[in-house]
Amino acid sequence: MPALALYEQVKEHITRKIQDGSWPAGHRLPSEHELVAQFGISRMTANRALRELVEQGRVVRVAGVGSFVAEDKPQSTLLQIANIASEIRARGHDYGYQLVSGERVAASADVAAWLDLRAGESVFHSVCLHLEDGVPVQLEDRYVNPRVVPDFLEQDLKATPPSEYLVRSVPFDQIEHLVDAVLPTDEQAKRLSMPAAEPCLLLTRRTWTRNVPVTLVRCLHPASRYRLGSRFRADGNPTFG
């Protein structure tokens, strides 16, 4: 096996310290100058190692202060419909759920376009909040096509999250995921217990059954508390587990 490049050796050293718990979240890393002295490398090499660790989400850099071990963010897959309750419990944390609203509304022009309906046509709308250890991590804003799921509002949505009911009850054969970086509205920030000036990750998902749209859902996550990503094989199939 060829020897690791110098910057990779530095990255491996830092990563090992993080993974074995020697350097917990918030721990201040050695400065570039200290890494240069410790490893006998150039300032450019030390900078590259730290920069790539920042890009991988392991380290955060604060201008004029230094580099620190990043908080570990939960990661949700983009290649399947993730069950957020299962994800949270699998991490050994407590899952919480709150139904904010569930009602029948007239579809706005954009919602109608997303669901292949006519503007003003009846559509189901639900809003709910998902929490991890009592902290909000996802605000779910969902529209459901009544032509496909006519009994959606007849379910006890206070007890069963809409996503769990839909995955269990409606077969889907297509999924579309879009991810954007956005700022929350004041109301969204309040529900997520976060400053309105901090960014969020917005996951927009649509599902279809036999080419008919089933649901449009927008899941808003505080970027400081959540990560979206996937692992998949070269043939394009997702790798789970």
Side-chain angles (χ1 to χ4, degrees):
M1 181 185 300
L4 290 175
L6 290 175
Y7 78 92
E8 289 283 5
Q9 292 178 34
V10 177
K11 285 176 60 181
E12 185 180 70
H13 169 76
I14 294 172
T15 299
R16 186 165 59 248
K17 290 285 190 180
I18 294 172
Q19 291 178 334
D20 68 14
S22 299
W23 291 353
H27 178 84
R28 188 179 186 279
L29 271 63
S31 65
E32 288 184 10
H33 179 75
E34 291 169 328
L35 291 173
V36 167
Q38 180 179 351
F39 289 92
I41 55 178
S42 69
R43 185 79 177 265
M44 183 179 298
T45 299
N47 180 272
R48 178 175 179 180
L50 291 173
R51 186 177 71 248
E52 292 196 3
L53 287 168
V54 170
E55 292 170 353
Q56 294 169 4
R58 290 189 176 275
V59 170
V60 293
R61 305 186 82 174
V62 181
V65 179
S67 301
F68 301 84
V69 177
E71 294 286 343
D72 186 28
K73 300 179 188 177
Q75 176 167 309
S76 179
T77 180
L78 293 176
L79 293 178
Q80 61 174 337
I81 295 183
N83 183 321
I84 190 169
S86 297
E87 288 183 345
I88 290 172
R89 290 172 180 140
R91 291 192 284 271
H93 296 175
D94 290 329
Y95 169 71
Y97 163 75
Q98 298 174 5
L99 178 69
V100 177
S101 64
E103 58 186 343
R104 182 188 291 265
V105 299
S108 63
D110 68 319
V111 169
W114 282 93
L115 292 178
D116 288 345
L117 301 173
R118 297 186 305 274
E121 189 171 345
S122 178
V123 66
F124 298 135
H125 181 219
S126 66
V127 178
C128 56
L129 193 64
H130 303 275
L131 304 94
E132 184 165 358
D133 289 338
V135 178
V137 292
Q138 183 188 98
L139 179 62
E140 174 189 312
D141 190 328
R142 180 183 299 274
Y143 292 89
V144 178
N145 188 344
R147 299 178 185 176
V148 181
V149 199
D151 58 352
F152 177 72
L153 289 182
E154 296 175 16
Q155 310 310 308
D156 185 0
L157 298 179
K158 289 185 177 180
T160 303
S163 57
E164 290 189 16
Y165 165 70
L166 290 170
V167 168
R168 184 174 66 242
S169 306
V170 184
F172 61 90
D173 47 35
Q174 294 182 59
I175 310 171
E176 175 186 74
H177 280 155
L178 302 172
V179 179
D180 296 287
V182 300
L183 289 175
T185 65
D186 289 342
E187 181 181 354
Q188 290 170 337
K190 183 177 180 180
R191 292 198 185 281
L192 288 167
S193 301
M194 63 178 290
E198 289 189 7
C200 287
L201 293 175
L202 175 63
L203 170 64
T204 301
R205 175 192 297 135
R206 277 194 298 173
T207 61
W208 288 260
T209 181
R210 297 180 181 177
N211 292 318
V212 178
V214 177
T215 185
L216 161 69
V217 59
R218 298 183 177 108
C219 298
L220 195 67
H221 311 83
S224 63
R225 303 176 196 157
Y226 219 69
R227 177 178 297 152
L228 295 165
S230 299
R231 178 182 175 185
F232 54 92
R233 300 196 300 265
D235 60 8
N237 292 319
T239 298
F240 306 123

